[in-house]
Amino acid sequence: MAGTGLLALRTLPGPSWVRGSGPSVLNRLRDAAVVQPGFLSTAEEETLSRELEPAIHGFRETEKSRWSEASRAILQRVQAAAFGPGQTLLSSVHVLDLEARGYIKPHVDSIKFCGATIAGLSLLSPSVMRLVHTQEPGEWLELLLEPGSLYILRGSARYDFSHEILRDEESFFGERRIPRGRRISVICRSLPDGMGPGESGQPPAAC
Ligand SMILES: O=C(O)CCC(=O)C(=O)O
Ligand SMILES: [Fe+2]
């Protein structure tokens, strides 16, 4: 029945790959912390993994500016999905290789070198990204990042909340255990407003 469906929609806390400390933070960050599961097709996941696995073998992270044509097409899809027409992207893309025991501590990306939007593709292993408000630690959000998903952090989610990738022992999405394996992420960032690619203050390799 239509009525029942609407009620169910209204009472659901959010999509099943985002959970949070309460409805207020979920509502406020609805457009600021976004996950698109299945953004990559299986073939696209394979394209990127094939290109990146050997390229970053033995390294934990790298900046990559030369990509195969197939991967460039994928990155263009990320750009179209996550960034506005007025946003310039950092010229190189950040690729991070986290081993199964690896994790990323809470941090806010440098506001000096990174603009308002961060978009990341996850490959190989699922993981949980936790966002915690820097002033109100009781306000948090967790994003379930399946392989092939795209996450977007912008505005308040990017500036007012730290983000981290949980270590295997803490890798739960609610009650659900999300076992961590090796994870490769591909992260695109916008330049700070007013900083064109050729302007002074050349951004460092990574933010
Ligand atoms: O691996 C990710 O998706 C996030 C990485 C990250 O937060 C960073 O490099 O600043
Ligand atoms: Fe970050």
Side-chain angles (χ1 to χ4, degrees), residues 75 78-79 83 89 92-94 117-120 186-190:
L75 293 173
V78 172
Q79 177 162 5
F83 297 88
L89 269 62
S92 58
V93 174
H94 187 185
T117 305
I118 302 163
V186 177
I187 305 142
C188 301
R189 299 180 171 96
S190 59

Side-chain angles (χ1 to χ4, degrees), residues 36-49:
Q36 294 188 22
F39 180 83
L40 298 177
S41 67
T42 309
E44 288 176 323
E45 267 184 78
E46 277 164 15
T47 296
L48 285 176
S49 304

Side-chain angles (χ1 to χ4, degrees), residues 128-144:
V128 177
M129 177 177 273
R130 179 186 289 153
L131 276 64
V132 180
H133 197 288
T134 55
Q135 306 300 315
E136 301 284 345
E139 283 194 4
W140 56 265
L141 219 60
E142 281 169 1
L143 313 180
L144 175 60

Side-chain angles (χ1 to χ4, degrees), residues 128-174:
V128 177
M129 177 177 273
R130 179 186 289 153
L131 276 64
V132 180
H133 197 288
T134 55
Q135 306 300 315
E136 301 284 345
E139 283 194 4
W140 56 265
L141 219 60
E142 281 169 1
L143 313 180
L144 175 60
L145 304 180
E146 305 266 18
S149 67
L150 171 71
Y151 70 83
I152 304 166
L153 304 180
R154 52 165 78 98
S156 177
R158 179 258 181 277
Y159 291 115
D160 305 329
F161 288 72
S162 64
H163 56 271
E164 66 191 292
I165 297 287
L166 301 182
R167 69 179 86 209
D168 182 53
E169 300 91 290
E170 295 172 6
S171 190
F172 286 86
F173 186 69

